[in-house]
Amino acid sequence: MSNNKPRINPTFNFVKEGSWGWKVALGYDVFMMFLIIINLFCLCSNAILMSNFTNWFFDLFRISEILVYYKTELNPWVVITESWFTSLLIIELAIRWIIAIIFKQHQRWFFFPFVHWYEILAVIPQLRFLRLLRAGVIAYQLHEHGYQIFPKSWYKQANFYYNLVMEELTSRIVLTVLSGIRKELTTSTTHKQLISNIINQHRELLAISLTDILQEHLGKELQQQRKLIAQDVGQIVNKAIEDTPELTQLLRLIPIVGSRIEQQIQSIGQRLGENITQGLIQPFTTNAQSDNTSYRLISEKISQIPIENNPHIEQLVESVVFQSLDAIQQQVKVKQWQQILEESKNESLHNKE
């Protein structure tokens, strides 16, 4: 057993672990667990034997005298022993409450019935099935201490069905809540304000995320393509000079060196275009690993765009919200216990092979 595993004390958890009193407390827990199991077994058997179905069954096989003997001789003893056991539980709870107060097991003296609510309710005849919960708690405590009261397969099955019940309950609750949210968003006239409030609360985070995205992707792409972009802009400037007939006509009026000056002007214009482009791109390619001021300013401006004045942004936000709800609903509908059961079946078939 791992030393890091949390250990759970027995019923009387004020005693020191490993001491003589601690062992007595564990023995008491084991005794109460089996006593509860026997009591519930007797009650279930008595309920079955006293039912109309049992009367019909025994009459069918003509052995009704056995049932008559049970009802006249044994059933009164079951009723009496149940009364004794219920009285024992009441006295035991009262003693444990007094002990809890003396040894200050809880922060307040009246916390005991709330902590042990299932034991209190189990005293009521209609809620006697809750006694099984106490037996299960005791068995779990003993299992945590390394005492194997039941086979490991029983613990595994109990844990599986516990997770199954909890998953089904939580799934129903989550799906109901999500359906209510969807209905509220689609029918309420204030859902736009609700979405707007959500966006306003996350504008700062949106600006930071946009900055990271621009630096990570746009900055690297500009760095890789800056030379090609500069060359393209230079060629555009060169082409613009060539397509300026007034300048060409003016230079051709100069004899001998006119054409040479025209070529130099085109070369200078192309170089200027490339250098200006490099200068414009430079701020967006620096500080790739740190906060880039240019990207931060752009991101802040984008994050502050009001969605109320832009129907496309409003539709985008609503689409994201509704699709997020759909994705959560689909995930909640996935039954994990079915997957676990299927994996167990496949593992069993594999072991058999």
Side-chain angles (χ1 to χ4, degrees):
M1 187 173 176
S2 174
N3 294 329
N4 296 327
K5 191 173 184 179
R7 303 180 68 84
I8 301 176
N9 290 325
T11 298
F12 302 105
N13 54 14
F14 55 86
V15 292
K16 185 179 180 181
E17 183 175 347
S19 64
W20 179 83
W22 186 81
K23 294 178 180 178
V24 171
L26 280 180
Y28 172 79
D29 281 346
V30 174
F31 171 74
M32 288 300 300
M33 181 183 66
F34 283 106
L35 200 63
I36 290 171
I37 293 175
I38 294 172
N39 171 254
L40 292 176
F41 175 78
C42 293
L43 291 177
C44 292
S45 301
N46 182 70
I48 294 173
L49 291 172
M50 296 297 292
S51 65
N52 294 328
F53 171 78
T54 306
N55 289 332
W56 170 83
F57 182 81
F58 276 73
D59 289 339
L60 180 65
F61 290 93
R62 300 182 183 279
I63 51 175
S64 57
E65 60 275 5
I66 298 177
L67 187 61
V68 171
Y69 174 78
Y70 173 81
K71 290 182 177 180
T72 54
E73 301 295 334
L74 300 180
N75 180 62
W77 281 103
V78 174
V79 176
I80 293 174
T81 53
E82 167 58 17
S83 301
W84 290 348
F85 187 71
T86 302
S87 301
L88 173 65
L89 290 179
I90 295 174
I91 296 172
E92 185 241 5
L93 283 171
I95 294 174
R96 284 170 54 199
W97 193 351
I98 294 173
I99 293 175
I101 295 174
I102 295 174
F103 289 92
K104 298 181 179 180
Q105 291 181 272
H106 308 291
Q107 293 182 347
R108 297 289 186 273
W109 66 270
F110 54 84
F111 280 11
F112 181 87
F114 295 99
V115 175
H116 302 274
W117 59 270
Y118 53 91
E119 299 181 45
I120 303 295
L121 295 178
V123 175
I124 303 174
Q126 291 78 9
L127 300 176
R128 286 178 292 200
F129 65 90
L130 289 175
R131 297 174 187 176
L132 186 62
L133 182 59
R134 181 183 177 185
V137 170
I138 295 174
Y140 177 74
Q141 291 174 343
L142 295 173
H143 175 72
E144 289 294 315
H145 281 86
Y147 298 97
Q148 187 174 337
I149 304 299
F150 302 107
K152 291 183 178 179
S153 59
W154 290 20
Y155 287 108
K156 186 176 180 180
Q157 288 293 325
N159 185 61
F160 170 76
Y161 286 111
Y162 170 79
N163 291 331
L164 185 153
V165 172
M166 293 304 297
E167 183 179 350
E168 290 295 330
L169 287 175
T170 53
S171 296
R172 290 295 96 198
I173 294 173
V174 172
L175 289 175
T176 302
V177 172
L178 292 177
S179 298
I181 294 174
R182 173 180 285 276
K183 183 178 180 181
E184 181 68 20
L185 291 177
T186 53
T187 59
S188 175
T189 57
T190 61
H191 74 281
K192 292 184 179 181
Q193 183 62 36
L194 177 62
I195 294 176
S196 179
N197 292 337
I198 295 175
I199 296 298
N200 291 332
Q201 293 174 4
H202 295 82
R203 288 188 184 275
E204 183 178 354
L205 183 60
L206 177 60
I208 296 173
S209 302
L210 285 174
T211 302
D212 293 339
I213 293 173
L214 291 175
Q215 285 188 175
E216 180 68 22
H217 299 283
L218 182 59
K220 289 183 178 180
E221 191 65 25
L222 287 174
Q223 180 67 28
Q224 295 174 0
Q225 302 294 330
R226 62 186 299 178
K227 186 176 181 180
L228 181 60
I229 295 173
Q231 290 176 354
D232 291 340
V233 174
Q235 291 177 2
I236 292 172
V237 174
N238 190 357
K239 181 66 173 173
I241 294 174
E242 290 180 358
D243 294 339
T244 307
E246 295 82 3
L247 179 61
T248 304
Q249 292 173 3
L250 181 62
L251 292 174
R252 287 178 181 177
L253 293 176
I254 302 174
I256 303 173
V257 295
S259 59
R260 180 62 178 170
I261 294 174
E262 181 180 0
Q263 293 176 1
Q264 289 297 323
I265 291 175
Q266 291 176 349
S267 177
I268 293 171
Q270 182 172 349
R271 186 65 60 85
L272 283 172
E274 293 178 359
N275 292 338
I276 292 172
T277 303
Q278 291 279 6
L280 293 174
I281 294 177
Q282 183 66 23
F284 297 98
T285 58
T286 57
N287 302 328
Q289 302 299 326
S290 60
D291 188 17
N292 187 297
T293 306
S294 301
Y295 289 135
R296 188 175 71 250
L297 292 174
I298 295 173
S299 301
E300 289 177 355
K301 293 298 181 181
I302 294 176
S303 65
Q304 296 302 322
I305 296 176
I307 64 172
E308 297 86 357
N309 301 330
N310 194 316
H312 297 292
I313 297 180
E314 186 176 342
Q315 291 175 5
L316 173 62
V317 173
E318 289 185 359
S319 178
V320 170
V321 171
F322 285 116
Q323 289 190 13
S324 299
L325 292 176
D326 291 336
I328 296 174
Q329 285 182 323
Q330 293 301 320
Q331 184 60 35
V332 171
K333 289 179 181 179
V334 175
K335 299 185 183 299
Q336 300 293 335
W337 63 267
Q338 288 183 347
Q339 297 180 358
I340 296 174
L341 189 61
E342 188 66 26
E343 291 175 359
S344 300
K345 289 181 180 179
N346 294 335
E347 185 177 351
S348 300
L349 292 175
H350 180 72
N351 293 335
K352 289 180 180 179
E353 293 176 356

